[in-house]
Amino acid sequence: EASFSIIERELSEYISKVIAMLPPKRQVVFVKSRVNGLANKQIAQDLNISVNTVENHLTQAVKHMRSYLQKL
């Protein structure tokens, strides 16, 4: 249905804007994980950071996303 696709597009645009608000490194980690589907270990190797740091970035990114998405 047309109205659903409009809502879906608007939500996608909003999510992209919220991702863009993340600090640069956190944004990269989030996209590699949630968009590209890479494992935390692979992200850590790609960015030369620890797996724990990847997990911390993801935790903070998800908190950020939830905070903004709850405002919808």
Side-chain angles (χ1 to χ4, degrees):
E1 190 173 309
S3 63
F4 181 74
S5 65
I6 291 169
I7 291 169
E8 188 176 37
R9 186 179 68 238
E10 288 177 356
L11 181 59
S12 178
E13 288 172 5
Y14 184 75
I15 290 170
S16 294
K17 288 178 185 176
V18 175
I19 292 170
M21 288 188 245
L22 294 169
K25 181 79 87 168
R26 190 165 294 157
Q27 190 178 113
V28 169
V29 169
F30 184 83
V31 170
K32 283 180 175 280
S33 174
R34 298 303 197 263
V35 177
N36 300 337
L38 295 180
N40 291 357
K41 185 176 180 180
Q42 183 62 52
I43 296 167
Q45 289 173 347
D46 289 353
L47 300 177
N48 199 29
I49 58 178
S50 72
V51 172
N52 190 49
T53 300
V54 170
E55 291 168 354
N56 289 338
H57 278 303
L58 289 173
T59 298
Q60 293 305 313
V62 169
K63 284 182 183 178
H64 177 83
M65 298 293 290
R66 279 194 188 125
S67 170
Y68 278 88
L69 291 174
Q70 287 176 347
K71 296 175 184 177
L72 288 179

